[in-house]
Amino acid sequence: MVQAKTWSLTKHFDGFPKDSDFELKVEELPAPKDGEVLLEAVFLSVDPYMRPFSKVRMNEGDVMIGTQVAKVIQSNNPAFPVGSHVIGRCGWRTHTVCGGTDLIPIMPDWPQDVSLSLALGAIGMPGLTAVYGIEEVLGLQKGETLLVNAAAGAVGSVVGQIAKIKGCKVVGSAGSDAKVAFLKELGFDEAFNYKTVGSLEETLKKASPDGYDCFFENVGGPSSSVALQQMKNFGRIAVCGAISTYNDTTPQTGQTAVSGAHHTRL
């Protein structure tokens, strides 16, 4: 028998998540049956979507949702040999027994100098979100100017790099000087710390006096209302998230209540 440690949601979040909202439990797992595998977690994802999704997709007492990179340590499924790695929606747990239906195999020739954690980041869901938002929602074209907030995050940092590859001017907003320095390393044309600028409106105007063709929205809230006023005629906005509002105890109303729905075209 294998013991699994799991983080369970003991109480739905009220405002900012607290340690007391979680409980570490231990459970005994059965041996895998025919077609099943035993997984051992290597990396767990901690993503913004978990905060709002937990309210509608979880009951108190459930194991916290989330994706993980896991190693197959026992297998009764030939599609997933022992020693191989997979991506699975197993939640916050150290070990899982499951069938192979919802598992995505990681290619066996994954480069040794590339961390498997990137299968949950730039080479995983956040990276695909960036690609989809740029290509399918924004239709970003060479020579256009793109604004992206939460630009140093898993999605925003990939958005900016793809936009530069496409030959665009990229302006990024982030929440610390260290993050701004990181954006400069990635090749962003302009980057600023929204917490320390005197006027967000003036900062955006200075970064791109002619306005913005595209806006990749990850933050929501009042800052987005300012950014909306900087859009060019017929500008495009990809609404990927609204992380600034996720911990609000009272829902915002009006223009600042930007939707958290993924990949929406406005």
Side-chain angles (χ1 to χ4, degrees), residues 20-72:
S20 59
D21 296 330
F22 301 95
E23 182 181 3
L24 181 61
K25 298 180 179 180
V26 177
E27 63 180 40
E28 299 283 343
L29 296 181
K33 301 175 183 177
D34 287 345
E36 292 185 333
V37 295
L38 173 62
L39 305 176
E40 183 175 69
V42 180
F43 294 103
L44 305 180
S45 71
V46 182
D47 295 301
Y49 78 83
M50 296 175 179
R51 174 62 175 83
F53 277 33
S54 64
K55 188 70 174 179
V56 296
R57 296 194 178 184
M58 294 184 65
N59 295 316
E60 293 179 351
D62 289 348
V63 174
M64 190 64 196
I65 57 176
T67 308
Q68 63 176 242
V69 171
K71 184 177 182 179
V72 179

Side-chain angles (χ1 to χ4, degrees), residues 36-181:
E36 292 185 333
V37 295
L38 173 62
L39 305 176
E40 183 175 69
V42 180
F43 294 103
L44 305 180
S45 71
V46 182
D47 295 301
Y49 78 83
M50 296 175 179
R51 174 62 175 83
F53 277 33
S54 64
K55 188 70 174 179
V56 296
R57 296 194 178 184
M58 294 184 65
N59 295 316
E60 293 179 351
D62 289 348
V63 174
M64 190 64 196
I65 57 176
T67 308
Q68 63 176 242
V69 171
K71 184 177 182 179
V72 179
I73 58 175
Q74 293 181 30
S75 178
N76 286 321
N77 188 325
F80 302 99
V82 171
S84 63
H85 289 85
V86 299
I87 301 170
R89 292 179 289 181
C90 304
W92 289 6
R93 52 188 303 126
T94 60
H95 295 82
T96 307
V97 172
C98 63
T101 304
D102 294 327
L103 299 179
I104 301 173
I106 292 179
M107 57 187 186
D109 56 346
W110 182 278
Q112 292 297 309
D113 60 345
V114 176
S115 173
L116 284 170
S117 68
L118 291 179
L120 301 176
I123 311 176
M125 179 272 288
L128 292 173
T129 300
V131 172
Y132 185 91
I134 286 178
E135 297 292 345
E136 302 297 329
V137 179
L138 295 178
L140 187 65
Q141 301 297 312
K142 180 179 180 179
E144 292 189 315
T145 300
L146 170 72
L147 171 64
V148 54
N149 52 20
V155 175
S157 60
V158 178
V159 167
Q161 292 178 80
I162 295 174
K164 288 306 300 176
I165 291 171
K166 292 176 74 70
C168 298
K169 178 179 179 179
V170 184
V171 177
S173 169
S176 74
D177 292 342
K179 290 178 180 179
V180 170

